[in-house]
Amino acid sequence: MTETPPVRALFFDEPAEAVDALTRAVRDGAAADEIRGGLVRMPAAGKNAVLAEVGRVADGILDMNVFDIFEQSWTRFTALRDAAVMSLANPGGEELAEMATHTASFDYRPSVEVQLADLPVASVGLRAKLDFTVRGLIGVVVDGHLVAVRAGTWEFEGTLLLAGQKVAQRQGKVEIGSEIRFRRPIPLL
């Protein structure tokens, strides 16, 4: 594994599966009633198009990179902070930091706003709740920044809700066999 997956990949095997599940949840749940109620004068085909678009927008929110959600918690690791200090004494050189076990939780609650002629019709809430345990990871630190992780495993358990309705729930384990580079170096000091 050399690329970090989007949050969507933790819940669905295929991107189209995510769009379908989210669109179904929007069309069949409480959000549909609220949206349809706000679009009273719109023809049924138009309402269905709006509901499908809400599903696509909700799916786009799940495009967030999995390791980006760890960004704020990396700085709590003493081993990473120590490696960051040492890396500043050796500009451009890599320092490796072993991280035995690390746990993190992520509770992301964005919403999709539906408007008609600039007037609010509905707000559809999305919630991605994830719990992670990372084991045996090696952090790669350059110039005071975490730039990559190597080896190890991470386990996750997550629930995805749309307008309070459960859309997906999954747990799994990912083996990190090679190096994963971050899109942006993460400052550790």
Side-chain angles (χ1 to χ4, degrees), residues 73-167:
S73 63
W74 293 118
T75 58
R76 296 184 203 142
F77 263 106
T78 303
L80 284 176
R81 285 196 313 268
D82 292 346
V85 170
M86 292 187 329
S87 74
L88 293 175
N90 180 21
E94 286 186 350
E95 295 291 330
L96 302 178
E98 290 185 45
M99 304 178 329
T101 300
H102 176 63
T103 58
S105 289
F106 173 70
D107 195 355
Y108 187 51
R109 297 177 187 229
S111 60
V112 177
E113 302 296 325
V114 178
Q115 295 183 347
L116 180 63
D118 294 330
L119 297 173
V121 172
S123 178
V124 181
L126 180 70
R127 181 178 184 195
K129 172 104 172 79
L130 297 165
D131 294 308
F132 294 97
T133 301
V134 180
R135 301 177 197 285
L137 214 59
I138 297 171
V140 180
V141 180
V142 176
D143 298 330
H145 292 77
L146 180 64
V147 297
V149 291
R150 294 180 184 157
T153 61
W154 58 276
E155 301 161 4
F156 68 90
E157 185 172 331
T159 304
L160 179 64
L161 298 110
L162 184 76
Q165 178 181 346
K166 188 187 304 182
V167 176

Side-chain angles (χ1 to χ4, degrees), residues 9 15 44 68 118 175:
D68 286 349
D118 294 330
E175 297 287 336

Side-chain angles (χ1 to χ4, degrees), residues 24-40:
R24 257 191 328 274
V26 169
R27 285 186 174 159
D28 299 337
D33 295 338
E34 184 179 349
I35 293 170
R36 284 187 179 109
L39 301 174
V40 164

